[in-house]
Amino acid sequence: LVATVACANAAALVAMRAQARAADTALKIALGATRRILLAENLAQGAAISSLAAVAGFALAWAAMRLVQHAATLPSDLPFAIAARADGRTALVIVAAAALATLIFGTIPARAPKKKRTRGRDVLVAAEIALAAALAILAFSLARTVAAVSHMNPGFRTDHVLTLALDPAQAGYHQSQARVFYDQVLERVRTMPGIRSAALAQSAPLGFTGAQRQIEIPGETEPSTVWINIVTPDYFDLLRIPLESGRAFDGRDTADSPPVGIVNQELAKRVLSTFRMNGRTLEVIGVARTAKYFSAGEAPRPFLYLPFSQNYASRMVLHVETSGDPAAQARAIVAQIRAIDPGQPVSEVRPASEYLTRGATFHARLALEMMVMTGIAGLGLALAGLYGVIAQSVVARRREIGIRMALGARPSMIASLLLIRGARVAAIGVAIGCAAAWGAQRAMGGWIPAAPGPAAYVCGAIAVLALSAAAALIPAIRAARIDPARVLTRD
């Protein structure tokens, strides 16, 4: 979008520059200047401008990449970074773009000057404003999404919960040893001051780890792959995940008892009472309310819970419910784990709320950073284009303005005349931009879970219109200060 805005802006500026230099070019031709000389002069000027722009663009791109890399953070101990980088290929593209711009924009003004219509420039500027308005609306929508997701109900509690990842296998534990270790961890942590409860789960909701299993559902010919989570009995109470029917896991679900599972509401539409997994028949003992499992904007998906007593995973996430700030309890909880085994690795220590505020909003935050940067650049170019159109209109209509003022037109009337033109171009651009934002939002449905409401359109439109008015106001005020006697006498 910004590239399109830049191209439209450059085309408008070149057209205005050619018209402004029409008399000068005609005089040079009349005095014997050849087209080769004019072409060389324009190419030299174009090369100088393109070279400065290329250097500035490379520096801005480098700064923008550093900003995005810093902003694109996930609630994870795993190293993560956006892989964008400026290298030799980037420099080659920039040099090629600068050379192409020099050839195109250095050649156009060298042609014999002709009277150019202003309607084409108005269309280009309206297109720029439309793209800038679309970016502004999407930015407001993304900001609204980030704020809304941070306060949404994902189907489980995120406050007063601390999560810690453990993996006894990394310390050489076998399954039986790991189960004893986890029992000791739960027992110690539950008796700590300020701790209300503790539970284990293979993955944290809205985290970045998960497991899948294939299950055979009665009445369906092909096995289905569903996401699963292995949990201990206190998991549902700790996270306040309500059971719509049936019961939670408890002491009846042992390694020797019939295998069981709990399905969410979405999976319950297909599984009535039993299903098969790994050659075993499992009984559905409960139906849990469907929640958000990986992102805030995800559609309801089938999900299966399995009891830790009947299923094993070495890496488990300890969920601890605290009475106060969960982060304040982290050091003491890790100390209890190390008291059991000093060599036990503990990772991903963070409040569960971070998975909502940082994990679930990652795509929206990353898109917001990009929209803000590109929106500022695009809007700046669009305003420069609008300013140039109005300023050029003042230059082209100086004699007309002088005559109007000599006949009694007040300065405010002259300024209003030019502002109306700018407002018309801006209004058309904003209207098109609103339609473009609506279409772009539909394509970005996974990043913007909530459609742009009226507030996003109103804020985006008002912001662009206000800045457009400011851009048009400056040359309009200059036009209102024209001295008619000087203009008419000189002409």
Side-chain angles (χ1 to χ4, degrees), residues 96-114:
L100 182 61
T102 299
L103 290 175
I104 294 176
F105 300 130
T107 303
I108 293 175
R111 298 177 180 177
K114 299 179 181 180

Side-chain angles (χ1 to χ4, degrees), residues 252-292:
R252 290 171 285 180
D253 307 311
T254 65
D256 299 324
S257 64
V260 296
I262 294 175
V263 299
N264 72 345
Q265 293 169 299
E266 194 67 19
L267 186 55
K269 298 175 182 178
R270 300 163 54 194
V271 178
L272 298 177
S273 57
T274 61
F275 62 92
R276 292 183 61 81
M277 184 182 72
N278 296 334
R280 300 183 303 168
T281 299
L282 280 72
E283 179 187 359
V284 176
I285 62 171
V287 177
R289 182 175 297 176
T290 300
K292 302 293 185 182

Side-chain angles (χ1 to χ4, degrees), residues 83-290:
R85 61 185 183 275
D87 54 17
R89 293 173 297 177
T90 309
L92 182 62
V93 170
I94 291 177
V95 170
L100 182 61
T102 299
L103 290 175
I104 294 176
F105 300 130
T107 303
I108 293 175
R111 298 177 180 177
K114 299 179 181 180
K115 185 177 180 180
K116 293 179 173 55
R117 297 181 180 272
T118 60
R119 183 175 298 177
R121 293 200 296 261
D122 289 350
V123 170
L124 288 174
V125 174
E128 297 175 33
I129 293 176
L131 295 173
L135 288 169
I137 292 169
L138 289 174
F140 277 110
S141 300
L142 287 164
R144 171 176 169 265
T145 294
V146 172
V149 169
S150 300
H151 298 88
M152 70 174 290
N153 178 14
F156 55 90
R157 77 172 303 177
T158 59
D159 62 307
H160 295 286
V161 177
L162 183 73
T163 60
L164 310 89
L166 306 171
D167 191 354
Q170 294 187 20
Y173 282 55
H174 299 297
Q175 180 178 158
S176 58
Q177 296 171 312
R179 288 188 178 277
V180 172
F181 168 77
Y182 280 129
D183 288 340
Q184 294 175 338
V185 168
L186 291 175
E187 182 180 355
R188 277 179 174 266
V189 171
R190 286 168 179 164
T191 58
M192 291 176 58
I195 303 301
R196 293 176 178 173
S197 64
L200 294 169
Q202 188 177 8
S203 59
L206 294 179
F208 297 94
T209 58
Q212 291 180 313
R213 297 281 177 87
Q214 277 199 338
I215 63 173
E216 300 174 15
I217 301 175
E220 297 185 4
T221 57
E222 296 293 333
S224 297
T225 301
V226 297
W227 290 97
I228 65 103
N229 200 2
I230 299 173
V231 302
T232 55
D234 291 335
Y235 177 81
F236 296 97
D237 285 339
L238 189 151
L239 289 185
R240 308 293 193 271
I241 300 177
L243 294 180
E244 300 299 319
S245 62
R247 65 173 178 87
F249 302 129
D250 56 29
R252 290 171 285 180
D253 307 311
T254 65
D256 299 324
S257 64
V260 296
I262 294 175
V263 299
N264 72 345
Q265 293 169 299
E266 194 67 19
L267 186 55
K269 298 175 182 178
R270 300 163 54 194
V271 178
L272 298 177
S273 57
T274 61
F275 62 92
R276 292 183 61 81
M277 184 182 72
N278 296 334
R280 300 183 303 168
T281 299
L282 280 72
E283 179 187 359
V284 176
I285 62 171
V287 177
R289 182 175 297 176
T290 300

Side-chain angles (χ1 to χ4, degrees), residues 293-352:
Y293 304 104
F294 297 100
S295 68
E298 70 181 21
R301 69 175 71 211
F303 203 84
L304 172 64
Y305 298 93
L306 299 172
F308 182 59
S309 57
Q310 297 179 345
N311 302 267
Y312 175 71
S314 175
R315 183 187 184 279
M316 298 291 284
V317 178
L318 176 64
H319 293 64
V320 182
E321 181 185 5
T322 64
S323 56
D325 180 12
Q329 296 280 2
R331 188 185 299 271
I333 294 173
V334 172
Q336 290 293 331
I337 296 172
R338 295 279 163 74
I340 301 173
D341 181 1
Q344 182 62 226
V346 182
S347 61
E348 308 291 352
V349 181
R350 58 182 42 84

Side-chain angles (χ1 to χ4, degrees), residues 7-97:
C7 291
N9 198 44
L13 291 175
V14 168
M16 289 187 293
R17 180 171 177 264
Q19 183 175 350
R21 298 182 60 188
D24 180 57
T25 303
L27 180 60
K28 289 181 179 179
I29 294 175
L31 293 175
T34 64
R35 296 192 181 279
R36 181 176 298 178
I37 294 175
L38 294 176
L39 178 61
E41 178 184 331
N42 287 316
L43 286 175
Q45 293 178 359
I49 295 174
S50 298
S51 299
L52 291 174
V55 173
F58 193 89
L60 288 174
W62 184 87
M65 285 187 292
R66 294 298 180 274
L67 180 62
V68 171
Q69 289 174 355
H70 178 74
T73 56
L74 291 170
S76 173
D77 292 345
L78 296 174
F80 174 85
I82 298 295
R85 61 185 183 275
D87 54 17
R89 293 173 297 177
T90 309
L92 182 62
V93 170
I94 291 177
V95 170

